[in-house]
Structures are given as C-alpha cells and as structure tokens.
Amino acid sequence: MSRLGTSRTARRYSKGAVAAVLFGALVSTSTMFQIQEGALVNEARHELQAIQSLDVEELKHKENAAKRAGDDMGKFERQVERKLQQAVDGVARVKVDSMSEDEYWIFDVPIAGQMKILRKRTSTAEVVIGGFLAGCVLELTNTVLLYPLDTMKTRLQANPDGAGGQLRFDRLFDGLGPVVAMVPLLSVFWSVKDVVRRSIIGFVTQQLSWVAWYDVIATGLAAGAGEAFYFALKTPGQLLKIKQQTEAVLEDSKPALATLLLQAPPRPFWEECLTSYPVLALSEVPQVMLRSIIFVWLHSQPNAASFIGYDILIFTIAAAISALVCTPLDVARTRLLLDGRGVQELPSMLVSIFREEGAAGFFAGWLPRLMWNGVTVGIVLGLCRMSYEDIRALFLLDVLDGLENGAQAFLDVLS
C-alpha cells in the first residue's frame, strides 16, 4: 500500500517536473525570440535611419543643385533681358506714359502709325523718387527766378501805401535763404501729385469708362493734395520769409508797428508754424486746384492745339484767372500771418479789410501778384511743366533704371 502511494506520488512529481521543464523551455524560447526580435527591430531601425539619412543628404544635394541651376538660369535671363532692352532702346523711342507712369517703347510703323509696347512697369517708389528729384530741379529754378516779384507783392500787401507812396526795389532777396533751404522738402508736391493722380486714374479706369472730365478732376485733386503737403513743409520757411520781406517797409513807413512787433512777447516758433499752416494752405490750395482744373479743361478741348507755345499760353491764362480770383484770400493770409492770428479769424479779417479799405483792399498788391502768380508763374511753370515730364523721364529711365540694372549686375557677380 505504501509502495503504491509512493509510486503515485513519484509519478505526480515526475509530471510536475516535466511541466516545469516544458514551461521553462517555453519561457526561455519566448525570451529568446523576444531578444532576437528586439535585435532585429533595432537592426532594422538603424538600417532605416541610415537609409533616411542618405535620402535627406541626397535630397539636400539635389535641392542645392536645383537652386544653383535656377540662380544661374535667372542670371542668364537677366543678362539676356538687359541685352535685348539695350538693343530695342537703340531702335525705338522710350517714353513714360502720362497716365500710368509706366515705360513704353514707341515704334513708328509706316502703315500702322505708332505702336506702343510695354518696356517696364514703374513702381510707386520709383514714381515718388522720380517726382522728387525732378521737383528739386524745378523748385530751385522757380525760387530764384520768381523771388523778387514775390517780395514786392508781399510788401504791397503788408503796406499798400508804401514808403512815401513809392515801391521799394532794394533788398528783394531778403528771406531767400530759408526758402532755398526748404527746396528739397518742397519737392514733395510733385511726388504726392504724381502718386495721387496715378492712383485716382488707376481706380477710375478699373471701375468706369474713361472720359476727359476724369482727367480734369483727377489732376485738380492731385494738385490740391500735393499743395497741402507742400505747404505743410513750406510753412517754416514761408513764415520767416514773409517777416523778413516786410521788415524793410515796416521800419520805414510804420516804425511804431515794427517796434511793437519786436517788443511783443515771442511765441515758440513751432506754435507759430502750427497756427500759420492752415492759413497758408487755405489760400494756396484753392488757387492751385483752380489753376490745374482750368488748364486741363482748356487743354482737353477738341480744337486745342498740340504745340508747346499753346500749352504755355493756356497755362498762363489759367494761372492769371486763379491768381486774381484768390487774391482776397492771399491778402487776408498775409495780414493774418503778420498779426500771428489763426485761420479761425479769417472771416473777421475779411470784414475788417472791407470796412477799413473797401473792396479795393481785397486786391492790394494785385498787379505784382498777377505778374508773379499769373504771367510770370504761368510762363515759368508752363515751361517747367513741359520740362518736368522730360526731367522726370530722365531720372526714371537713365538714373533709376541704370542704378537698378547696375545693382542687379553687381549682385549677380557676388552670387
């Protein structure tokens, strides 16, 4: 009995040992497979990383090669474009369009007439710079030529009776220095005018069919905007100029007034400029707008001539009409500036002039003003208007385009 129990117990232990061995073998096999699988996974991961690294390097190499090829092709295209442009420039006329400000080649075809091909689109920055540089030349010329008449006009408006009834012709260039120093800043008129006019014309032509009246309105608004910016920068020099121009006649004919002005508590100059700017803009902006509108309207008439002399004539007529119409504002402006009063007192100043001097007081200094703002400015600005287009085209075509091409060629060499 005991043997039988022992035998059964031995068989039970033997089965347990076998199971334990089998389980251990299974665990060992599983662990071995896991280790091998992990090794294979790690090996595959390393191989994949190596392949990816090779792919990235190869891709970078290809990208760099493509970029170099693109840069070389770009250089070649720019060189060919410059050569072709120079060749076409030699056989065609280059002109800046007065509406879009873009550059065009003009070909004279025997049968078809003139043919216009776009040469280059002018950017807004180029319009601003070209107008500024051309404006500097014209403003300096206008200032030197017209300053003496402006001095006589201002003196008559400040003191209509003059010194003993005689108009003084000495010290006609008093106050010229501040005005000349402001010439570069005053050239902003031409830049603003060109940009505003181009923007208005571009907007209108996209929305409506173009008619001549749109050019009249666009030019008038552009000239007014340019004049407003013009006097914003011109006010300091203009204020100093008027004070120095009238100093001589006040010392001789109104010494008490001159002494009073000298003894008056001085205000900060910036405050005087802020007070004076609206007065200057109020009298000058309407005149410039009216002059531009009249000129463009006369120029757009069906029977208008197309030679320079006719343009100067109608510009002089427009300048004379606008100068006479705006003379009362100019007289009031001078009095307000001398008294240091603001634009809000313009109505009371006009009433005061009418009560003390009558209607004739509104036209004090009208003859020098007509000769200056009308005839002389009309002729000079008429010529300048003709010259302005040529001078601006010179800067746009020869200077700015030359600098752009030279800078691009230099960058191509460096790269």
Side-chain angles (χ1 to χ4, degrees):
M1 188 72 174
S2 61
R3 290 180 180 175
L4 180 61
T6 303
S7 175
R8 289 178 179 175
T9 302
R11 286 197 297 270
R12 189 164 48 247
Y13 280 128
S14 175
K15 292 179 180 179
V18 171
V21 171
L22 291 176
F23 179 77
L26 180 62
V27 170
S28 300
T29 304
S30 176
T31 303
M32 182 182 65
F33 281 132
Q34 288 179 354
I35 294 172
Q36 291 179 350
E37 182 182 2
L40 291 174
V41 169
N42 290 333
E43 184 179 356
R45 184 182 292 114
H46 289 310
E47 291 180 357
L48 180 61
Q49 290 177 350
I51 293 173
Q52 289 178 343
S53 177
L54 291 175
D55 290 344
V56 170
E57 293 297 329
E58 184 178 359
L59 182 60
K60 289 182 179 180
H61 178 73
K62 290 181 179 180
E63 287 179 353
N64 292 332
K67 184 178 179 181
R68 286 193 298 271
D71 292 341
D72 293 339
M73 181 60 68
K75 292 178 185 178
F76 177 74
E77 290 177 354
R78 286 191 293 270
Q79 291 175 356
V80 171
E81 183 179 354
R82 285 195 293 268
K83 295 295 184 182
L84 288 176
Q85 191 178 82
Q86 293 173 359
V88 178
D89 287 347
V91 297
R93 291 183 292 111
V94 182
K95 184 178 179 181
V96 178
D97 185 71
S98 60
M99 294 292 186
S100 64
E101 312 294 346
D102 295 329
E103 301 173 9
Y104 285 89
W105 283 306
I106 306 297
F107 296 90
D108 295 321
V109 182
I111 299 176
Q114 285 190 348
M115 183 175 62
K116 186 168 69 172
I117 299 177
L118 180 65
R119 179 179 184 265
K120 177 189 174 186
R121 295 197 180 278
T122 304
S123 66
T124 301
E126 289 174 324
V127 173
V128 171
I129 296 173
F132 173 79
L133 294 175
C136 282
V137 176
L138 299 185
E139 287 296 331
L140 180 60
T141 303
N142 291 339
T143 298
V144 175
L145 292 178
L146 302 178
Y147 195 83
L149 281 176
D150 183 42
T151 299
M152 290 188 289
K153 170 188 72 73
T154 305
R155 287 176 178 176
L156 282 176
Q157 290 176 346
N159 180 30
D161 296 332
Q166 299 294 324
L167 179 62
R168 294 188 53 167
F169 293 95
D170 61 323
R171 298 170 60 180
L172 294 180
F173 287 93
D174 282 2
L176 178 62
V179 179
V180 172
M182 296 292 291
V183 163
L185 296 179
L186 303 184
S187 303
V188 72
F189 166 80
W190 303 93
S191 297
V192 173
K193 177 184 71 68
D194 290 344
V195 171
V196 172
R197 182 174 180 271
R198 184 195 197 194
S199 301
I200 293 175
I201 291 176
F203 174 78
V204 171
T205 52
Q206 290 179 357
Q207 305 296 327
L208 303 170
S209 299
W210 182 256
V211 295
W213 269 105
Y214 296 159
D215 189 21
V216 175
I217 296 172
T219 304
L221 293 176
E227 192 72 6
F229 278 93
Y230 177 88
F231 266 96
L233 299 175
K234 187 177 181 180
T235 295
Q238 188 78 357
L239 191 59
L240 292 173
K241 179 204 73 169
I242 290 177
K243 288 184 176 182
Q244 294 183 25
Q245 285 176 333
T246 57
E247 182 180 342
V249 294
L250 289 177
E251 290 175 352
D252 292 343
S253 60
K254 297 182 179 180
L257 178 59
T259 303
L260 181 62
L261 290 175
L262 291 174
Q263 293 177 351
R267 291 190 302 165
F269 186 65
W270 66 266
E271 184 178 336
E272 292 189 44
C273 292
L274 289 178
T275 303
S276 302
Y277 168 68
V279 181
L280 291 169
L282 182 66
S283 61
E284 294 293 334
V285 171
Q287 177 187 334
V288 173
M289 291 181 66
L290 182 60
R291 182 181 67 199
S292 300
I293 289 173
I294 294 174
F295 170 75
V296 177
W297 179 75
L298 292 174
H299 192 270
S300 63
Q301 295 303 304
N303 57 349
S306 59
F307 58 93
I308 295 178
Y310 179 78
D311 286 348
I312 296 174
L313 174 63
I314 62 175
F315 192 89
T316 303
I317 293 173
I321 294 174
S322 61
L324 286 176
V325 170
C326 297
T327 295
L329 288 176
D330 192 46
V331 174
R333 177 198 70 171
T334 302
R335 306 284 178 88
L336 289 172
L337 289 174
L338 291 175
D339 294 345
R341 298 160 67 179
V343 70
Q344 69 276 5
E345 299 188 43
L346 177 63
S348 61
M349 174 60 72
L350 293 174
V351 172
S352 176
I353 294 174
F354 181 75
R355 286 177 178 175
E356 296 177 4
E357 305 173 31
F362 290 131
F363 294 92
W366 70 270
L367 183 57
R369 176 175 171 81
L370 178 63
M371 294 297 297
W372 181 65
N373 276 358
V375 178
T376 306
V377 170
I379 294 174
V380 174
L381 284 184
L383 286 170
C384 288
R385 182 185 177 277
M386 301 299 104
S387 304
Y388 174 73
E389 301 293 336
D390 295 334
I391 295 174
R392 187 186 60 171
L394 174 67
F395 283 114
L396 287 175
L397 299 174
D398 295 342
V399 178
L400 296 182
D401 284 358
L403 289 175
E404 181 181 357
N405 292 333
Q408 188 60 60
F410 179 72
L411 292 176
D412 288 344
V413 172
L414 292 180
S415 60

